[in-house]
């Protein structure tokens, strides 16, 4: 009998110990779970998606680059990584400007662009020589400049952003599309501006339809153009479709055959994109690219309309850091003076 009682006692003791062990484990798991949760909440940067934004820093226009970056950074909580693309000679200046201003808090990488990749691919155009600057073509080479990202935003330097860049980044690209652009006929509010300054917003304004190579494309000259100053790009599709190679092919053909119209004088960089992306691009929300602010020194949009806009683009000859220009106050809100004093605004009273 005694041995039997001892076995029962032992079994009972083991049962009690097992229950205690289970209870102990459950009680001590709670603080651990809370601790993990707290860590996750305190460091969202570790899991937050990075938004790469590409903008160039050209000599004589670095104030534009700084204002663009300043406007983006000030209007978002997103984890933005700026890729600032420049030539070897301009990189030290822009780096010093950022590091010695309130922009020193931004995340950025400076990328050097080698203009030799353009050798033999650009036909000289005396009417708008500034459009032939090497950095005007960095949008053609996004996968070579940006290695690790699936989705990339490219912005011209003569823009400011008034909305949250996260919204632009969230632009949906249809399957098979390597990029999204703003259609030049997408916003009725801009039509009056286009007519008043005599702009073209169709392929006729960019391509020379007297040339057989252009007619062979089968694109109607009345097709609405798009503006490649704001791009949301899918790098996987871009590489898969060999977009850069296609663009280079049309640059080369223009050198040989002079295929682009000089009506706008801006066809050198825009025209190849109009050809390569014809019928194969997604749409950016029209309010994320209000353009033509630089086409006239006195034709203005309504202030209410511009306040609603998410992104303003001074494409054209009349830039907001120069004089004359329109809506310069909206641009100057985001300008940060050059600590070195090299870049100065051109103003009638200064």
């Amino acid at each position: 009998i005694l041995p039997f009682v001892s076995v029962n006692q032992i079994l009972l003791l083991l049962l009690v110990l097992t229950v205690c062990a289970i209870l102990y484990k459950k009680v001590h798991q709670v603080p651990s779970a809370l601790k993990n949760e707290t860590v996750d909440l305190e460091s969202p940067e570790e899991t937050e998606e990075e938004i790469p934004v590409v903008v160039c820093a050209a000599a004589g226009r670095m104030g534009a680059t700084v204002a663009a970056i300043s406007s983006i950074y000030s209007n978002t909580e997103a984890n933005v990584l700026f890729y600032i693309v420049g030539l070897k000679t301009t990189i030290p200046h822009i780096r010093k400007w950022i590091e010695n201003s309130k922009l020193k808090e931004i995340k950025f990488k400076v990328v050097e662009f080698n203009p030799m990749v353009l050798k033999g691919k650009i036909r000289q155009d005396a009417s708008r020589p500034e459009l032939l600057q090497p950095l005007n073509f960095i949008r053609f080479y996004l996968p070579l400049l940006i290695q690790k990202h699936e989705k990339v935003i490219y912005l011209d330097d003569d823009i400011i952003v008034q909305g949250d860049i996260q919204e632009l980044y969230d632009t949906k690209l249809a399957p098979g599309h390597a990029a999204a652009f703003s259609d030049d006929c997408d916003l009725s509010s801009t039509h009056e501006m286009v007519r008043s300054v005599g702009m073209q917003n169709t392929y006729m304004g960019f391509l020379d339809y007297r040339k057989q190579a252009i007619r062979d494309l089968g694109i109607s000259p009345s097709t609405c153009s798009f503006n490649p100053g704001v791009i949301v790009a899918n790098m996987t599709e871009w590489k898969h479709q060999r977009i850069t190679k296609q663009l280079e092919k049309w640059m080369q053909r223009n050198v040989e055959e002079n295929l682009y119209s000089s009506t706008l004088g801006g066809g050198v960089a825009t025209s190849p994109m109009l050809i390569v992306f014809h019928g194969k691009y997604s749409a950016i929300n029209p309010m994320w690219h209000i353009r033509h602010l630089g086409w006239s020194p006195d034709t203005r949009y309504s202030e209410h309309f511009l306040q609603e806009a998410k992104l303003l683009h001074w494409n054209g000859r009349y830039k907001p850091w120069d004089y004359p220009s329109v809506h310069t106050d909206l641009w100057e809100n985001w300008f940060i003076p050059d600590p070195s004093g090299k870049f100065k605004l051109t103003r009638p009273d200064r």
Side-chain angles (χ1 to χ4, degrees):
I1 295 174
L2 281 175
F4 180 75
V5 171
S6 298
V7 169
N8 277 344
Q9 288 176 333
I10 291 169
L11 290 173
L12 182 61
L13 180 61
L14 288 173
L15 181 62
V16 170
L17 289 172
T18 301
V19 171
C20 288
I22 292 169
L23 289 173
Y24 181 88
K25 190 174 180 182
K26 284 190 173 181
V27 168
H28 283 77
Q29 270 182 335
V30 175
S32 176
L34 286 174
K35 183 180 178 184
N36 289 339
E37 200 173 311
T38 304
V39 169
D40 288 341
L41 288 171
E42 286 179 349
S43 56
E45 305 84 34
E46 293 178 7
T47 56
E48 190 179 11
E49 188 172 15
E50 206 167 53
I51 298 179
V53 175
V54 179
V55 62
C56 69
R61 296 170 61 114
M62 288 194 201
T65 308
V66 166
I69 292 172
S70 171
S71 68
I72 295 164
Y73 182 66
S74 301
N75 286 305
T76 188
E77 297 293 326
N79 181 24
V80 180
L81 173 60
F82 293 96
Y83 283 86
I84 303 169
V85 186
L87 302 180
K88 191 173 185 177
T89 53
T90 62
I91 283 174
H93 185 188
I94 193 68
R95 186 186 291 279
K96 188 173 290 187
W97 197 331
I98 289 170
E99 291 175 349
N100 290 280
S101 71
K102 64 182 182 182
L103 291 181
K104 63 188 175 187
E105 303 297 328
I106 70 169
K107 288 172 61 178
F108 74 101
K109 291 183 180 179
V110 175
V111 181
E112 182 182 340
F113 182 67
N114 183 356
M116 288 304 293
V117 301
L118 300 172
K119 190 175 181 181
K121 300 185 181 76
I122 302 175
R123 170 182 278 273
Q124 296 303 308
D125 182 355
S127 64
R128 295 287 301 278
E130 73 276 14
L131 295 172
L132 301 176
Q133 296 300 318
L135 294 179
N136 205 33
F137 298 90
I138 65 171
R139 70 198 91 188
F140 289 17
Y141 296 95
L142 291 176
L144 301 180
L145 300 167
I146 313 302
Q147 301 292 335
K148 66 174 185 173
H149 301 281
E150 167 74 7
K151 197 175 187 182
V152 172
I153 294 173
Y154 164 84
L155 299 174
D156 277 354
D157 59 0
D158 51 356
I159 64 100
I160 61 160
V161 171
Q162 301 185 135
D164 185 343
I165 199 73
Q166 181 76 53
E167 288 179 32
L168 181 61
Y169 185 75
D170 289 340
T171 298
K172 295 286 189 291
L173 272 68
H177 285 179
F181 304 98
S182 288
D183 202 88
D184 279 333
C185 305
D186 62 8
L187 200 60
S188 57
S189 310
T190 66
H191 292 175
E192 185 179 341
M193 168 76 83
V194 169
R195 285 192 298 270
S196 68
V197 297
M199 281 185 295
Q200 295 278 352
N201 61 1
T202 65
Y203 273 56
M204 176 67 86
F206 293 90
L207 306 180
D208 187 348
Y209 277 83
R210 295 171 299 179
K211 302 295 171 66
Q212 188 61 44
I214 297 301
R215 294 199 299 272
D216 287 347
L217 291 169
I219 302 173
S220 168
S222 62
T223 301
C224 193
S225 54
F226 58 81
N227 186 299
V230 176
I231 308 172
V232 181
N234 179 313
M235 292 292 92
T236 301
E237 281 295 336
W238 192 292
K239 287 181 277 193
H240 176 69
Q241 297 178 33
R242 298 169 62 84
I243 296 293
T244 298
K245 288 292 183 188
Q246 292 188 58
L247 291 167
E248 287 185 325
K249 181 189 85 170
W250 284 103
M251 291 170 76
Q252 192 72 53
R253 289 198 66 175
N254 182 55
V255 170
E256 297 162 1
E257 304 173 48
N258 194 18
L259 300 175
Y260 306 154
S261 169
S262 58
T263 305
L264 292 180
V268 183
T270 300
S271 298
M273 301 200 85
L274 291 178
I275 294 170
V276 171
F277 284 101
H278 174 252
K280 294 186 292 186
Y281 65 91
S282 297
I284 288 174
N285 180 329
M287 296 306 286
W288 267 100
H289 195 177
I290 302 303
R291 33 205 189 282
H292 316 316
L293 277 76
W295 272 90
S296 167
D298 46 31
T299 304
R300 305 172 67 92
Y301 287 109
S302 78
E303 293 300 325
H304 175 72
F305 175 66
L306 293 184
Q307 286 169 9
E308 297 293 314
K310 305 285 190 178
L311 182 149
L312 303 178
H313 188 184
W314 278 262
N315 58 312
R317 295 173 185 267
Y318 302 98
K319 303 302 185 185
W321 54 90
D322 280 335
Y323 179 85
S325 182
V326 294
H327 305 296
T328 53
D329 54 326
L330 293 174
W331 181 87
E332 207 167 329
N333 281 339
W334 306 107
F335 174 68
I336 299 170
D338 182 359
S340 74
K342 294 177 187 174
F343 182 95
K344 292 183 174 65
L345 301 181
T346 304
R347 296 291 184 259
D349 53 345
R350 293 181 192 176

